[in-house]
Amino acid sequence: MTEATPFRSGYVAIVGRPNVGKSTLLNHLIGQKISITSRKAQTTRHRIHGIRTDEDCQYVFVDTPGFQTKHMNALNRGMNRVVNTSLRDVQVVLFVVEARHYDERDLEVVKLLPDEVPVILVVNKADMLDDKAELLPFIQKLSADFAYAAIVPVSARQNKHLDTLLQAVREKLPEGEMIYAEDEITDRNERFLASEILREKVFRFTGEELPYSVSVVIEQFKLEGKLRRINAGILVDKEAHKAMLIGSKGEKLKEIATQARLDMEKLFDGKVFLEVFVKVRSGWADSAQMLRSLGYE
């Protein structure tokens, strides 16, 4: 950084409908996996800050749940509140859409976009287009719905054009000091990250068999030197869901726990002893009291 290049910093909300790649984008922008991903809708349920610090800029990306337009239980109403509140007190908004896919679910998010904050349209999965000539008319169509400060086609998974996106964001951020320490990558603690990693593995290893109403509670998290002892419960709505998770002779649950443990060890840079069990808690996703106890906003 030179005198001619002032330091900039600020909060950048990442919004969009479910399954457009918001969490994948966040993870690649900061170069570390802190937000879980899966093909299952409603994977992200909490607001998560991902922090990237460069020589002349600190970006605090705010990952949000996909805006829900169906299944209006207490959980989804709460997730929509998170999206709405995340659009306040930020300096830039990234509205993520999927290349060639744009419908009424995206338009519901467009209605939430603020007029007083720069909004950058991020067209994700642009590499998936067989004919790149389709991109320009697609962008022109979207431009008619909102006055975007910039439009940047990217491929989050392939790390393509993310430098262009970062530059577009930096230009809209105000001059300011660092908000977080230079070496921080998230505002979430290890207990939260452990629960999210385990929930991701549940989604990955159950496919479409299990409804989205699954949550994880960390019963115990103890640090003994570099060893972490974690006891975790997976909450499901029905006994049949419990059987699906456990699998024949407990094999599926063992596989879920093993893969979660390996990811935790990679993220925490230390050994993890992980014990996982499954609990039936009927109606938890529509219980305000239960949602509060699980840390939902």
Side-chain angles (χ1 to χ4, degrees):
M1 185 174 62
T2 66
E3 288 185 16
T5 310
F7 195 86
R8 297 179 183 272
S9 64
Y11 291 88
V12 184
I14 304 175
V15 300
R17 65 170 171 82
N19 287 115
V20 292
K22 297 182 298 298
S23 296
T24 300
L25 178 64
L26 171 70
N27 292 336
H28 283 267
L29 283 169
I30 67 168
Q32 177 69 277
K33 182 174 181 175
I34 60 163
S35 191
I36 68 173
T37 61
S38 85
R39 289 193 176 92
K40 195 180 282 282
Q42 300 154 314
T43 300
T44 300
R45 293 180 181 164
H46 301 267
R47 177 171 36 212
I48 300 169
H49 288 176
I51 305 153
R52 177 187 176 115
T53 305
D54 291 341
E55 184 182 0
D56 58 4
C57 189
Q58 185 175 76
Y59 310 80
V60 183
F61 294 103
V62 185
D63 192 20
T64 64
F67 190 77
Q68 309 298 318
T69 57
K70 55 185 180 179
H71 302 308
M72 276 300 131
N73 56 19
L75 174 62
N76 284 3
R77 288 193 296 272
M79 289 196 290
N80 282 356
R81 281 196 299 274
V82 170
V83 177
N84 277 290
T85 56
S86 296
L87 289 169
R88 303 173 198 158
D89 303 321
V90 297
Q91 284 68 56
V92 180
V93 174
L94 300 184
F95 174 37
V96 185
V97 300
E98 185 178 343
R100 208 173 50 188
H101 297 280
Y102 186 73
D103 57 32
E104 66 279 357
R105 295 169 298 170
D106 300 285
L107 288 169
E108 287 296 317
V109 185
V110 172
K111 293 175 187 176
L112 304 176
L113 298 176
D115 293 322
E116 66 281 4
V117 175
V119 179
I120 296 174
L121 178 66
V122 182
V123 182
N124 193 24
K125 308 181 186 179
D127 58 311
M128 302 293 284
L129 293 175
D130 294 327
D131 183 1
K132 298 298 186 285
E134 295 178 51
L135 194 56
L136 184 57
F138 178 75
I139 287 173
Q140 288 173 335
K141 175 186 173 185
L142 272 60
S143 299
D145 291 331
F146 193 86
Y148 296 106
I151 299 174
V152 185
V154 305
S155 170
R157 193 175 298 279
Q158 300 294 329
N159 274 324
K160 289 184 178 177
H161 308 301
L162 297 189
D163 52 344
T164 303
L165 177 59
L166 285 168
Q167 182 57 34
V169 172
R170 187 189 179 282
E171 289 172 3
K172 302 301 178 185
L173 289 177
E175 293 182 26
E177 302 297 320
M178 286 189 191
I179 300 166
Y180 289 93
E182 190 172 355
D183 60 348
E184 289 187 81
I185 59 167
T186 184
D187 64 327
R188 293 291 191 166
N189 61 28
E190 289 188 355
R191 190 184 190 105
F192 172 84
L193 295 172
S195 70
E196 288 289 273
I197 288 170
L198 180 55
R199 191 162 62 86
E200 178 188 63
K201 299 312 173 194
V202 170
F203 284 166
R204 286 190 182 275
F205 287 96
T206 56
E208 296 304 316
E209 306 163 31
L210 203 63
Y212 71 93
S213 54
V214 174
S215 194
V216 170
V217 57
I218 302 297
E219 302 278 4
Q220 176 182 286
F221 192 109
K222 285 186 176 179
L223 189 58
E224 300 172 2
K226 290 203 77 175
L227 171 69
R228 290 156 179 84
R229 292 187 181 275
I230 304 171
N231 284 8
I234 301 172
L235 305 187
V236 295
D237 214 39
K238 298 175 181 176
E239 285 290 343
H241 302 160
K242 181 177 180 179
M244 284 182 204
L245 263 175
I246 293 173
S248 176
K249 298 180 181 178
E251 287 302 312
K252 181 161 285 187
L253 186 61
K254 183 179 178 183
E255 186 174 25
I256 289 168
T258 298
Q259 293 304 316
R261 177 182 57 79
L262 292 171
D263 268 17
M264 290 176 197
E265 289 180 341
K266 183 178 179 182
L267 181 60
F268 301 151
D269 192 26
K271 283 289 182 185
V272 171
F273 176 82
L274 177 64
E275 192 170 11
V276 180
F277 46 89
V278 184
K279 292 181 175 182
V280 178
R281 292 287 185 273
S282 298
W284 72 265
D286 213 13
S287 164
Q289 182 180 356
M290 190 68 178
L291 290 170
R292 281 194 300 273
S293 73
L294 291 169
Y296 291 99
E297 299 179 43

